[in-house]
Amino acid sequence: MFDVAPTELLVLGAVALMVIPPKDLPKAMRVAGYWVGRARGVARQFRSGFDSMLRDAELQEMEKRWAEENARIMREHPPTPAMLMSPAPGDLVEQPALPVMTEKPVVSPAPEPEPIQAMDAASKPAPKLRAKRTPKPKPDKVDP
């Protein structure tokens, strides 16, 4: 829609360099970039709103067509009284029977836990001792 060719950008840059002093050019470019960004944001918001309105209109049209098709099918194939009285497809499936216990289970007492024996000091490994690190002394600076 608003197409800007590279040659047009060069002409615009040359005119801006003649009109705006070089020391103020970065500030002018920042302001121009800010306003271009704001314009793009407004255009993006407008486009997203327009797209959502189109999606809603299409959805309503599809729902209307679906309702018309459903009404046509119901007119052509009306439900019979037998269909209205028949159980739902899920009702025809039998529920699995619960398991039946035939014999009483035998329950025996749990075995006694063995007492915990104290470990000998000799069988226990000795912890490793780590030597503390001491920082290396820094050499003194000698001024000539």
Side-chain angles (χ1 to χ4, degrees):
M1 188 169 164
F2 296 110
D3 190 24
V4 180
T7 55
E8 293 172 349
L9 282 176
L10 285 174
V11 170
L12 188 64
V15 170
L17 192 57
M18 285 186 242
V19 174
I20 301 172
K23 68 175 188 170
D24 293 337
L25 196 59
K27 184 178 179 183
M29 295 301 284
R30 243 188 330 268
V31 170
Y34 171 77
W35 285 109
V36 166
R38 294 272 307 230
R40 283 184 177 178
V42 168
R44 188 180 319 113
Q45 186 177 7
F46 176 75
R47 181 179 297 237
S48 68
F50 189 73
D51 288 345
S52 67
M53 286 178 13
L54 280 177
R55 262 195 312 273
D56 290 343
E58 288 175 357
L59 182 63
Q60 288 175 355
E61 180 66 28
M62 287 176 64
E63 286 176 351
K64 184 179 175 184
R65 275 193 269 156
W66 177 80
E68 289 172 356
E69 184 68 16
N70 191 26
R72 183 190 64 79
I73 291 172
M74 293 303 285
R75 264 192 323 273
E76 291 177 4
H77 307 286
T80 61
M83 290 172 67
L84 295 174
M85 299 299 280
S86 67
D91 293 343
L92 297 177
V93 178
E94 290 186 26
Q95 298 295 329
L98 295 173
V100 178
M101 189 178 298
T102 56
E103 294 180 13
K104 189 172 183 176
V106 179
V107 180
S108 60
E112 292 283 329
E114 294 183 18
I116 299 175
Q117 298 176 356
M119 293 179 65
D120 295 339
S123 65
K124 189 176 186 180
K128 291 184 177 180
L129 297 178
R130 295 176 63 183
K132 292 184 179 179
R133 292 185 179 173
T134 56
K136 293 182 180 178
K138 294 182 180 179
D140 294 333
K141 290 186 178 180
V142 179
D143 292 330

